[in-house]
Amino acid sequence: QLQASGGGVVQAGGSLRLSCTASGHIFSNYPMGWFRQAPGKEREFVGTIDLNYDNTYYADSVKGRFTISRDKGKNTVYLQMNSLKPEDTAVYYCARRIFGRDRQSRGSYVNWGQGTLVTVSS
C-alpha cells in the first residue's frame, strides 16, 4: 500500500515536501496522483505524474506552486509545495492511477494510502 508523509504546520508562504512511498508493490511503473481533502469538503485533485516521460499535470489552484516528481529507485513520489496558502490546508493523499483513465477523476485512482495533514497558518 501507499503511505503519504511529510505533512506538518507551516506559515503562509512557506514550503513543504510530501513523500508517497510504497510497500509490497512497485509503483514506479504506474502513473501516480495526489489529492487533498479539506475539512467539510470533497476530496479534490491536486496533480498527477504520467509514466511516459514523467509528464505532470496540476489543478489550476496549485499550478506554478506545486511540483510532482518521482524517484523510481526509491519507489517514491514527491509533492513539493511552495508559496503555501491557508487554503492549501488539507489532508493530502497519494494514489495509483489506472492506465488510460481520466487524470483528474477520483474514480481513476486506486490503492489509496493514509494521508498526511498539512496545516498552513496565516
Side-chain angles (χ1 to χ4, degrees):
Q1 288 296 351
L2 297 168
Q3 176 67 54
S5 62
V9 180
V10 62
Q11 287 190 330
S15 299
L16 278 176
R17 188 178 78 160
L18 306 184
S19 299
C20 174
T21 56
S23 61
H25 196 88
I26 303 299
F27 285 94
S28 60
N29 296 327
Y30 296 94
M32 301 292 291
W34 286 94
F35 282 69
R36 67 186 181 185
Q37 187 166 15
K41 294 188 176 182
E42 295 289 319
R43 192 171 299 187
E44 65 175 4
F45 171 78
V46 173
T48 186
I49 184 166
D50 280 355
L51 181 60
N52 294 331
Y53 307 110
D54 283 349
N55 291 331
T56 53
Y57 303 85
Y58 302 94
D60 288 343
S61 59
V62 306
K63 200 173 295 182
R65 300 188 297 122
F66 290 11
T67 303
I68 298 175
S69 61
R70 72 161 91 213
D71 185 329
K72 293 183 178 180
K74 294 183 178 180
N75 207 21
T76 300
V77 176
Y78 302 100
L79 178 65
Q80 177 67 45
M81 305 185 296
N82 299 328
S83 302
L84 283 161
K85 305 175 181 180
E87 50 264 42
D88 294 319
T89 295
V91 177
Y92 284 71
Y93 300 88
C94 59
R96 174 176 71 85
R97 174 158 48 91
I98 300 169
F99 283 108
R101 299 287 291 272
D102 178 77
R103 291 186 177 95
Q104 298 193 32
S105 173
R106 180 179 172 180
S108 299
Y109 293 81
V110 295
N111 298 116
W112 294 91
Q114 288 187 327
T116 185
L117 176 62
V118 172
T119 302
V120 184
S121 61
S122 58

